[in-house]
Amino acid sequence: MDPNRPPVPPGAARMPWLPPAAGRGFMIDPPPLGRARGLALAAAEPETGRGRGRASAAASEPPVSPFGRGISLPVPEAQVGIARGMLPPVEEKGLGRARGSLSTSLEPQVGMGRGASLFMEPLAEPVPPVKSQMLQLPEAVSGLQEERVEEKKTPEKFEVDIPDPGSSLVSMIRELGIEPSKSWGRGAAPMGRGSVGGLAAAHQSLVSSVGFSSVGAEEPFPEGMTLRGTSFVGRGMVGAGRAPVSPVGFSRGPIASPELPPGPITPPPVSVALAGPPPVPVETTVAPVKVEAAREPLKKAGTKGNSITIGSNYIPIRCKNEAVFQYHVTFTPNVEALSMRFGMMKDHRSTTGEVVAFDGSILYLPKRLDEVVHLKAERKTDNQEIDIKIQMTKVLPPHCDLCIPFYNVVLRRVMKIVGLKLVGRDHYDPSNAIVLGKHRLQVWPGYSTCIKETDGGLYLGVDVSHKVLRNDSVLNIMGVIYQQSPEHFQDECTKEFVGAIVITRYNNRTYRIDDIKWSKSPKDSFTLADGSETTFIDYYRKNYGITVKEIDQPLLVHRPKERSKPGGKQIITGEILLLPELSFMTGIPEKMRKDFRAMKDLTVHINVSAEQHTHSIKQLLQNINSNPEALNELQRWGLEISPEILMTQGRTLPMETICLQSASFVSSSSADWSREVVRDASISSIPLYCWAVFYPRRAAEQAEELVTMFGKVAGPIGIKLERPIRVELRDDRTETYVKSIQSQLTSEPNVQLVVCIITGNRDDLYSAIKKLCCVQSPCPSQAINVRTISQPQKLRSIAQKILLQMNCKLGGELWTVSVPLKHLMVIGVDVHHDVSKKKRSVMGFVASLNSLLTRWYSRVTFQMPNEEIINGFRVCLLAALQKYYEMNHSFPEKIVIYRDGVSDGQLKTVEQYEIPQILKCFETFPNYEPKLTFIVVQKRISTTLYSYGGERFGTPPPGTVLDHTVTNKDWVDFFLMAHSIRQGCGLPTHYISVYNTANLTPDHLQRLTFKMCHLYWNWPGTIRVPAPCKYAHKLAFLSGQYLHSEPAIQLADKLYFL
Amino acid sequence: MCRNGSDRMAALFSPPLYLQRYQFVIEYVKRFIPRKVIDLGCADCGLLRKLKFHRNAIEVLAGVDIDCAALRERVNALAPLTIDYLQPSPRPLTIELYQGSVTEREPCTQGFDLVTCMELIEHLQLWEVEGFSNVVFGYMNPCAVIISTPNVEFNPLLPGLRGFRNKDHKFEWTRAEFQTWALGVCMEYGYSVEFTGVGVAPGQNRDVGFCTQIAVFQRDAGVSNGPVNNAVQMEPTVYRLLYRVVYPSLCDNNIFQRTLVCQVLYRAESLKREFELGEQSMQSDLTACAHSLPPDVVAGSTVVYRHRSHVFVPLQHVWTDPKVQALCGNIHRLRQALMDDSRVQLDTDRDAIILPDEGEEEEDEEETGECEEGNLTPSPVVDNSEEDWETEIG
């Protein structure tokens, strides 16, 4: 437990509806929760349909019926009430009544809200009936009040007219299926917002459907408003995240402040829909086409290439429940404390059943209760009797997005039941730990699992994962560091520990170390949640019976990300201090990473083949499916996990033809052309007339041999090579290198290339050389570790590779593939983050300059943490366009941007914020409107592809693409495995087309991407990501890790960073 | 049940009363070092979770409650932590949870050193209390019993309280009533009792006693209804075992062996590394000097030495590691333990660990290594026809 937090984990108290793990899960991992909420709200859609359905029924049926229904469920009430404005007077009455069920205090606002919306309406969307209806407004309001009075007298009456639940369920589900309900939300949203917040200005009709839905979801429950206000922060953010126009989305936060009663939300398009008798067709005509398309399955399937049977680490999940029911729970008089609410609900398990998901106001059950259930509870603080009203608000299809968080909670429990331990976010099996005693670490095999909904339905994604845990406490390691370098002790510790993840002796949490407080010790005291002071020593003794042995250790600092707790009430801030003695390191030690031999010991266990991968997954599935307790747990939400992994059809894209200067050849099936590139001349080579080699005296021999070998192999590649200036250094100190290079560059300004032969893995020396040659005295440079050129039998191929690399750095072009698009610019973007997070992030930007895609322009920008990447991006893009114009005397007509390092959660931000800014960037040039395709590149994904043949799983060949079933339902996306796999598993890269005005078809997107994966000149074969991304990555890494500043602009048109 | 009424009393007591009750038990465990502890009416296992950390010598922790849902709720918090696997404890620990009634005789509940029963009896009907006494004192017959229950005399000091502290309470006793019952029990089953409590009344109201009254029973020396072990085996189990976990500990032979081998190998590897470093510096100073000692000199040696392509690390050296000593007690035991372990290679005299000398091993496997095998299969047919995506885009 963190000393800075109350001794009882807050998560536990907040989420008693979930087991402890669940509570924690939610806290640790807000995105799923946030998403769940957002989606939850989005799921208001079916209701809208429902409301409409009723209203239209009302048009043909006696008015009693809609009235009764309207009362029975609050959401439709409001919708219908809204609709009234547009409907013939007959409806008005019944609907007015429905509205009447809202509480008194709301009345004025209701009127106001409506008024506002009506006035705004013509601006937004001129709907003819509106004006005539405006006149009826006062009447409507008064009528409403009358009805309310009447309603109070006879409350029981409403219970009578409850519609047959079965039929309403059917209709709801039908509506959900048929209707493009998002369109509804979109159109409605501006009005809703306007009326709620009086934001008449917010008339962009691009407000998110989710945004609307959440407003809609708030609205029917006036009594619960205060509470919902508390949890609103979270929702508001979600709404914003998903909203197409985020600024508007954000403005919703304040609107929904607790004091604000829910205004009626008046969606004009729906009103129109209501007016027409056949609901569905009218709806479709009203809905904006764009939205409609979004609702249809996206066209993302390509056709090129050969079909191939592939498997993936997705396991189909079947939902056997007919539905999941959402209820709204109100406490009268209001109960503020969430924990008390949870407690009261817990006492009524006999009614709700054991399977409950409850967040304090919204309750989900896999079972149907009556429409309204009243329960009694006693508030212990004052013996006040509390009425708990549980009112059904939604019937959700069981695979609904909204339910996925509960399923994931269930899944976590199942993982525990089958004996796995949670470490960080994933589950591991300590009983099968691999112990590497030599390195004092253990590797725990395990799984990273997640239930998600994709184009193909509900799946359990399982990835095989390994956790490296170390047997030593941080204090132990500090001791070792002290022995090794007492003089740089603190610096070394910072290097070793900051950024590392530790677990503690007393809980299962993981913490990232952000800092070390040398001035503190366990003798210091801190304030507990109850306000009392205690020392760390006492705290651990009292709470965990742990005696701190070393009382003079510094403390480790973890700074949690600022985020709101579930419920949005409190922001977690401040520092958590940990004792090195009680903290244990996880992950591969930095020193070990550099130790090739040690890493081999480790990777043997970690890099699993496709066969092992699928075996592990099947093992897990078998463990789950043969464990009655686990099955029972799944059964509670009606889930059934298939015993088999997903098998489907993918495609292998056609092989590409690689073109050298005159030779061309088709890429082999292993996508490797290392032989070909050294046999024939590259597209263009820069003759090396004047270059210098720097080497320490003891590497003189190797240097001489390398230069000789260069001369032998340069011919076939097509490089003209003069003898270099040779500079022998008297020692291999960094200053010696730097001084010699500097004086050489000054005395001989025509030096085209600096080659340094260095001994050992010396980051500081490398950094110094690169800083000098990339920033201070711009000149392409090549550093060569003496070890790589020390083996005579390998020297030839090494020399060839280095020569090719040097040619690239000088501005030569090696090979290309044909891209049948004219006036195209391809851009790659990647961001390098410093591990310790103290330094700025670096964005690398690389843009193609010619039609062969062989000339590249590169830029780097630094940004502070939290600074938007897009600001720097604009500068780079403008510079690249200008450069393109210089070279081609025209601007590119099509621009394809590959952007690496965007998570799923940021996609909307990219779409709504970055892309508009990019488009704005083009306005800098008169009459310039290029077509833009923006593709997000995700490498770190948990999807794995397997080939399948002869009863065995293997790795699929390069060019394998999968564009259905496991793809994201919200975007045009595909998985492409471009590289050839030597060991391990087939990890494809995920590409998401976020924006595509170039109208590239799925085939084009896939093939262009595959082609781009052929163009990384440091590797004669295909790579995992498009070459521009890889170049951008290299550049950002070099700048962030070694240069710490922007490289000289003179180098921008060369691949000096390779 | 321990936390019932805590809402109301939260304001009165700091730390909260239930924590004070836990603390009382923890202090008791610290003083009397029981090995087997069972908590009757453990509800969400709050006390067990505490005791898991304040183990002292506890080897068996059991919990009983009648409410299955409450038991399950936080059951995962009783599971071993990650660290328990990384650094197995020297002592064993088993945690078991049962669903069952405290008025029933359950063979598994016999033989405990300490029975705790916090805020439980007031949830029984008065007429059940006798049966409860009989089960706990007569049947389970532990060395010690700690029983707590509300002191009804304190109730007037609790703001806004009408009736009992919790709706489910069937009775709440005065100090006199509680003590009468307790003394009766002592008479009947051969225990002695001390009364105390937690939750001191504020201000001048000292005369009402503690908010929670506690009786600590000790079985009289020599008086034991003696769990006749054979009989115990015969009786059928009435409780339902809901959860059982055995913590990794060094008492488990496999775990002990693994931990020992890891520690030994680590120690041996670091000695080998020291040796190699020494060798290197010697080499660079005196390149001509023979760097491996003749084997005959070395036999029975206590220094690390090289023979052929192996480095020999004497057990004597490994033994100097305090962690190895802590694990093994004496060097003979260490030798014995390593002898049959396939992970460790000992020399013929079983005096040294043999480690492969990796110094010369070829280490690089170029990251950019090429596939040398003649994999020249002709590539599949390629669509060489001129493509023009422009027209396809339209």
Side-chain angles (χ1 to χ4, degrees), chain A residues 68-365:
Chain A
R69 288 194 188 175
I71 298 299
S72 70
L73 288 170
V75 173
E77 276 171 32
Q79 312 297 5
V80 174
I82 288 148
R84 177 189 38 70
M86 304 304 163
L87 286 172
V90 190
E91 254 68 45
E92 268 182 48
K93 199 172 174 197
L95 295 159
R97 240 186 234 226
R99 172 69 59 69
S101 67
L102 297 171
S103 76
T104 339
S105 65
L106 301 175
E107 293 299 340
Q109 273 90 351
V110 169
M112 237 172 66
R114 183 181 308 128
S117 69
L118 288 171
F119 282 112
M120 277 158 14
E121 214 155 355
L123 299 169
E125 215 166 317
V127 183
V130 171
K131 280 173 191 160
S132 59
Q133 292 298 329
M134 276 165 61
L135 297 171
Q136 299 177 3
L137 179 63
E139 265 177 61
V141 172
S142 60
L144 184 98
Q145 277 157 355
E146 280 167 31
E147 292 299 340
R148 183 180 51 74
V149 174
E150 187 188 318
E151 177 214 322
K152 287 235 161 137
K153 285 178 200 151
T154 54
E156 67 283 355
K157 182 174 156 196
F158 305 123
E159 315 268 337
V160 181
D161 286 323
I162 292 167
D164 167 33
S167 72
S168 80
L169 171 61
V170 171
S171 74
M172 272 173 241
I173 288 171
R174 180 177 53 79
E175 304 273 359
L176 181 71
I178 298 171
E179 285 178 10
S181 23
K182 264 194 181 169
S183 66
W184 202 98
R186 287 230 180 171
M191 300 314 293
R193 183 177 323 272
S195 56
V196 173
L199 275 186
H203 260 286
Q204 295 94 321
S205 53
L206 272 168
V207 181
S208 87
S209 58
V210 176
F212 164 70
S213 309
S214 58
V215 173
E218 299 304 325
E219 180 224 5
F221 316 122
E223 313 91 315
M225 224 29 213
T226 12
L227 171 85
R228 234 169 294 103
T230 62
S231 64
F232 211 88
V233 176
R235 282 184 205 168
M237 289 188 314
V238 172
R242 298 186 62 97
V245 174
S246 51
V248 180
F250 280 116
S251 67
R252 240 173 74 275
I255 292 164
S257 71
E259 303 79 52
L260 248 168
I265 286 144
T266 331
V270 173
S271 312
V272 176
L274 287 168
V280 176
V282 173
E283 177 96 11
T284 25
T285 53
V286 169
V289 180
K290 191 178 145 202
V291 182
E292 197 121 317
R295 201 59 184 160
E296 279 170 15
L298 296 161
K299 289 192 183 70
K300 56 173 84 168
T303 54
K304 292 279 183 194
N306 301 326
S307 184
I308 174 176
T309 300
I310 50 175
S312 187
N313 55 340
Y314 286 75
I315 293 88
I317 293 180
R318 208 160 67 89
C319 305
K320 290 182 295 182
N321 278 357
E322 58 154 354
V324 171
F325 301 87
Q326 188 198 61
Y327 303 87
H328 186 256
V329 183
T330 36
F331 296 82
T332 327
N334 189 28
V335 175
E336 279 289 341
L338 278 179
S339 59
M340 212 179 278
R341 290 178 168 224
F342 294 139
M344 290 176 181
M345 283 303 287
K346 214 163 88 182
D347 294 340
H348 288 291
R349 286 280 158 97
S350 55
T351 310
T352 59
E354 291 295 320
V355 188
V356 170
F358 181 50
D359 75 347
S361 67
I362 297 173
L363 171 74
Y364 296 92
L365 303 177

Side-chain angles (χ1 to χ4, degrees), chain A residues 380 383 505 596 822 1007, chain B residues 87 162 363 387 390:
Chain A
K380 299 222 178 75
N383 297 332
R505 174 171 279 291
F596 182 78
K822 294 190 187 82
R1007 294 196 55 208
Chain B
Q87 302 205 326
R162 285 168 285 139
E363 64 170 57
E387 285 184 278
E390 300 284 347

Side-chain angles (χ1 to χ4, degrees), chain B residues 3-18:
Chain B
R3 291 194 214 175
N4 274 345
S6 63
D7 301 330
R8 182 176 298 115
M9 288 179 269
L12 271 180
F13 301 108
S14 169
L17 206 52
Y18 76 94

Side-chain angles (χ1 to χ4, degrees), chain B residues 247-261:
Chain B
Y247 273 55
S249 83
L250 296 175
C251 297
D252 177 317
N253 233 358
N254 290 333
I255 293 173
F256 171 79
Q257 193 71 16
R258 192 176 81 183
T259 313
L260 178 66
V261 167

Side-chain angles (χ1 to χ4, degrees), chain A residues 968-1010:
Chain A
N968 190 319
K969 44 189 181 70
D970 298 329
W971 303 98
V972 172
D973 63 336
F974 59 93
F975 293 89
L976 169 65
M977 228 201 58
H979 58 308
S980 158
I981 289 149
R982 296 240 167 88
Q983 56 167 339
C985 243
L987 297 170
T989 302
H990 189 202
Y991 297 91
I992 304 158
S993 162
V994 177
Y995 190 82
N996 184 5
T997 45
N999 277 334
L1000 296 178
T1001 64
D1003 271 322
H1004 293 152
L1005 291 170
Q1006 294 167 11
R1007 294 196 55 208
L1008 176 67
T1009 305
F1010 188 43

